[in-house]
């Protein structure tokens, strides 16, 4: 009963920031996928007409108050789609039909004459009362299960292959042959990350459509997490769907939180990093490499700190592992620091943090990092009064 009372009175929907007297509350999460959907895309010049920007672009350009952030965030999202990953198409509520089969969420998405079916098994907790918070793993949850045990948090997995079955190893379809392409043949040049983010949003559509009475899930308390390529996926999903309250991107590497510009400079200095020239282009628009390879990266009108910033004002935790040079954590740190300025501008810096710690395997979070992850989970999924203001840990980098 104490937990139930706490959840009804905590920071799950909105938070009044101390010192912002007579100013608007800053939401913790939203009811819609994209608050800025009414804004048209900004002008998108040809790549060779873009200005050279040696430093990381200003994520807060044109922002003087929180009310300006919705449009700025929309502009950043348009740029990332146009130059980087391809279009994440909008879907009307009438195009989605959801149902539960036991503990399995089933979502049918129909576009024209084509239907794509997504399935996701929900694992419910043994403690607490419904509706539960939900942590969604992108292909899997790599953070230790112990962080969810004995807590009223349901878990599930978004199987990305149901949308775009590309994988780095083994058999897979090519561009134009994925399930997503049946629905959107005009978007066959998309990178996988736009399509995977689209699929994640359709699962959330299904949860919202059925409601907590059917799903036992509180859609205002959804988190997403993944590691490595799936850490990138989690970050794109969290950035492009404002119904996700907490994003935990674990060891996302280049193309995730690491700034392309910083990785390019480190590569020139002799480091072997996943930079814009050396990443997997099934994940991105092939035109990204054509337009922004080498020193042309300085013409990119955004950088990955702005992908991170798109999560604001919701919660974001970045996890790094400097033992693996390829992951470009030396580029993720300045990117994270630049992104943090957005949360700081609105007085909510305690909603964004990072923990970069080595001496462990890839996607094997050591126990020394568990308390930081647990703090973000407890605060932003359960509404516990936990201090997350000092999660800025860097070791072994």
């Amino acid at each position: 009963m104490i937990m139930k009372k706490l959840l009804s009175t905590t920071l799950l929907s909105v938070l009044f920031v101390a010192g912002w007297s007579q100013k608007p509350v800053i939401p913790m999460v939203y009811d819609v996928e994209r608050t800025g959907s009414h804004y048209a895309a900004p002008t998108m010049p040809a790549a060779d007409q873009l200005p050279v920007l040696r430093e990381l672009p200003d994520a807060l350009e044109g922002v003087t108050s929180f009310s300006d952030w919705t449009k700025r965030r929309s502009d950043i999202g348009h740029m990332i789609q146009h130059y980087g990953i391809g279009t994440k198409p909008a879907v009307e509520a009438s195009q989605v039909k959801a149902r539960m089969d036991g503990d399995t969420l089933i979502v049918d998405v129909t576009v024209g004459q084509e239907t794509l079916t997504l399935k996701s098994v929900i694992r419910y907790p043994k403690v607490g009362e419904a509706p539960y918070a939900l942590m969604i793993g992108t292909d899997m949850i790599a953070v230790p299960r112990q962080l969810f045990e004995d807590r009223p948090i349901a878990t599930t997995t978004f199987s990305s292959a149901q949308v775009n079955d590309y994988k780095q190893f083994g058999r897979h379809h090519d561009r134009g042959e994925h399930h997503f392409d049946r629905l959107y043949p005009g978007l066959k040049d998309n990178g996988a990350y736009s399509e995977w983010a689209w699929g994640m949003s359709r699962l959330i559509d299904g949860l919202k459509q059925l409601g907590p009475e059917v799903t036992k899930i509180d859609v205002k308390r959804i988190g997403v997490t993944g590691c490595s390529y799936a850490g990138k996926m989690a970050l794109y999903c969290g950035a492009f769907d404002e119904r996700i309250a907490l994003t935990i991107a674990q060891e996302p590497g280049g193309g995730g939180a690491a700034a392309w510009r910083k990785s390019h400079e480190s590569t020139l200095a002799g480091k072997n990093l996943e930079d814009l020239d050396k990443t997997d282009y099934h994940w991105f628009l092939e035109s990204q490499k054509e337009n922004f390879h080498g020193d042309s990266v300085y013409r990119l009108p955004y950088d990955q700190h702005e992908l991170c910033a798109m999560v604001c004002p919701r919660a974001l935790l970045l996890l790094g592992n400097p033992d693996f040079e390829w992951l470009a954590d030396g580029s993720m740190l300045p990117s994270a620091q630049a992104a943090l300025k957005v949360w700081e501008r609105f007085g909510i810096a305690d909603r964004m943090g990072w923990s970069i710690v080595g001496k462990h395997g890839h996607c094997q979070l050591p126990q020394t990092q568990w308390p930081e992850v647990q703090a973000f989970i407890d605060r932003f999924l359960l509404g516990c009064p936990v201090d997350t203001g000092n999660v800025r840990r860097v070791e072994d980098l």
Side-chain angles (χ1 to χ4, degrees):
M1 292 299 294
I2 294 175
M3 177 65 75
K4 188 173 182 180
K5 182 177 180 181
L6 178 65
L7 295 178
S8 68
T9 58
T10 54
L11 315 170
L12 297 174
S13 296
V14 293
L15 175 70
F16 187 84
V17 179
W20 279 56
S21 178
Q22 304 303 315
K23 292 187 178 182
V25 294
I26 307 296
M28 299 286 284
V29 69
Y30 293 88
D31 293 326
V32 296
E33 179 180 347
R34 182 178 163 225
T35 57
S37 60
H38 56 290
Y39 290 114
T43 301
M44 302 288 186
D48 61 0
Q49 298 300 309
L50 290 164
V52 172
L53 302 173
R54 293 281 172 178
E55 301 301 323
L56 295 180
D58 181 9
L60 287 163
E61 181 180 349
V63 176
T64 59
S65 66
F66 183 71
S67 61
D68 298 323
W69 177 240
T70 299
K71 184 179 186 307
R72 176 58 179 160
R73 184 186 174 282
S74 176
D75 288 348
I76 293 169
H78 278 298
M79 288 190 292
I80 292 173
Q81 291 175 82
H82 181 80
Y83 295 109
I85 63 172
T87 300
K88 180 190 178 188
V91 173
E92 299 295 331
S94 60
Q95 295 175 284
V96 177
K97 301 296 181 186
R99 63 190 185 279
M100 293 291 295
D101 181 2
D103 291 344
T104 301
L105 172 66
I106 303 173
V107 181
D108 295 321
V109 187
T110 301
V111 178
Q113 301 300 312
E114 295 288 342
T115 298
L116 186 154
T117 299
L118 302 172
K119 297 182 179 181
S120 185
V121 178
I122 299 175
R123 180 175 177 264
Y124 292 98
K126 297 179 181 179
V127 298
E129 299 179 9
Y132 302 106
L134 176 67
M135 178 61 82
I136 305 175
T138 47
D139 283 344
M140 67 175 291
I141 296 177
V143 293
R145 287 282 179 181
Q146 293 93 320
L147 298 179
F148 301 98
E149 291 177 354
D150 300 323
R151 284 175 168 77
I153 302 173
T155 59
T156 192
T157 295
F158 164 58
S159 177
S160 64
Q162 295 180 97
V163 177
N164 178 320
D165 72 343
Y166 173 71
K167 51 189 176 183
Q168 291 175 287
F169 308 102
R171 299 179 61 183
H172 60 80
H173 291 99
D174 291 319
R175 293 181 194 269
E177 300 175 341
H178 301 292
H179 295 303
F180 176 91
D181 299 318
R182 291 192 289 105
L183 276 62
Y184 301 102
L187 299 178
K188 63 180 179 61
D189 293 331
N190 266 15
Y193 285 124
S194 62
E195 300 179 3
W196 288 335
W198 175 92
M200 174 70 74
S201 292
R202 306 295 69 83
L203 283 184
I204 298 173
D205 286 347
L207 291 169
K208 186 175 180 180
Q209 183 182 101
L210 293 174
E213 297 80 7
V214 176
T215 67
K216 303 178 187 177
I217 298 300
D218 182 351
V219 294
K220 289 187 179 296
R221 297 188 289 135
I222 293 176
V224 62
T225 186
C227 188
S228 197
Y229 83 94
K232 296 184 197 23
M233 194 192 313
L235 183 54
Y236 280 101
C237 290
F240 280 92
D241 196 319
E242 295 176 85
R243 297 170 295 184
I244 294 172
L246 170 62
T247 300
I248 302 177
Q250 184 180 2
E251 301 179 38
W260 290 126
R261 284 168 172 79
K262 299 298 183 182
S263 291
H264 173 63
E265 291 162 2
S266 294
T267 298
L268 292 177
K271 292 188 177 181
N272 180 30
L273 308 182
E274 181 182 9
D275 64 5
L276 191 144
D277 292 322
K278 294 182 295 183
T279 189
D280 192 322
Y281 267 90
H282 287 86
W283 295 335
F284 303 95
L285 291 171
E286 291 181 342
S287 60
Q288 177 182 257
K289 186 173 184 179
E290 296 168 5
N291 292 329
F292 303 109
H293 65 280
D295 285 347
S296 297
V297 70
Y298 297 117
R299 291 191 182 275
L300 192 67
Y302 65 90
D303 215 317
Q304 298 305 96
H305 67 296
E306 289 172 291
L307 172 69
C308 296
M310 284 183 66
V311 177
C312 183
R314 297 162 295 123
L316 172 64
L317 177 62
L318 302 175
L319 301 174
N321 184 351
D323 287 0
F324 296 83
E325 185 176 75
W326 178 256
L327 295 175
D329 282 348
S331 304
M332 184 172 78
L333 179 58
S335 182
Q337 292 168 333
L340 178 63
K341 294 178 181 179
V342 178
W343 280 268
E344 288 177 335
R345 173 67 65 87
F346 307 129
I348 51 173
D350 55 353
R351 300 186 194 180
M352 192 270 181
W354 55 82
S355 180
I356 302 173
V357 178
K359 299 182 175 61
H360 61 91
H362 184 40
C363 296
Q364 297 178 26
L365 192 79
Q367 289 192 19
T368 58
Q369 284 181 289
W370 288 15
E372 296 149 358
V373 179
Q374 194 68 72
F376 267 73
I377 290 172
D378 284 352
R379 180 180 175 192
F380 297 107
L381 291 188
L382 296 180
C384 299
V386 179
D387 182 8
T388 54
N390 295 310
V391 182
R392 310 273 192 278
R393 183 179 177 188
V394 181
E395 296 180 7
D396 313 309
L397 185 61

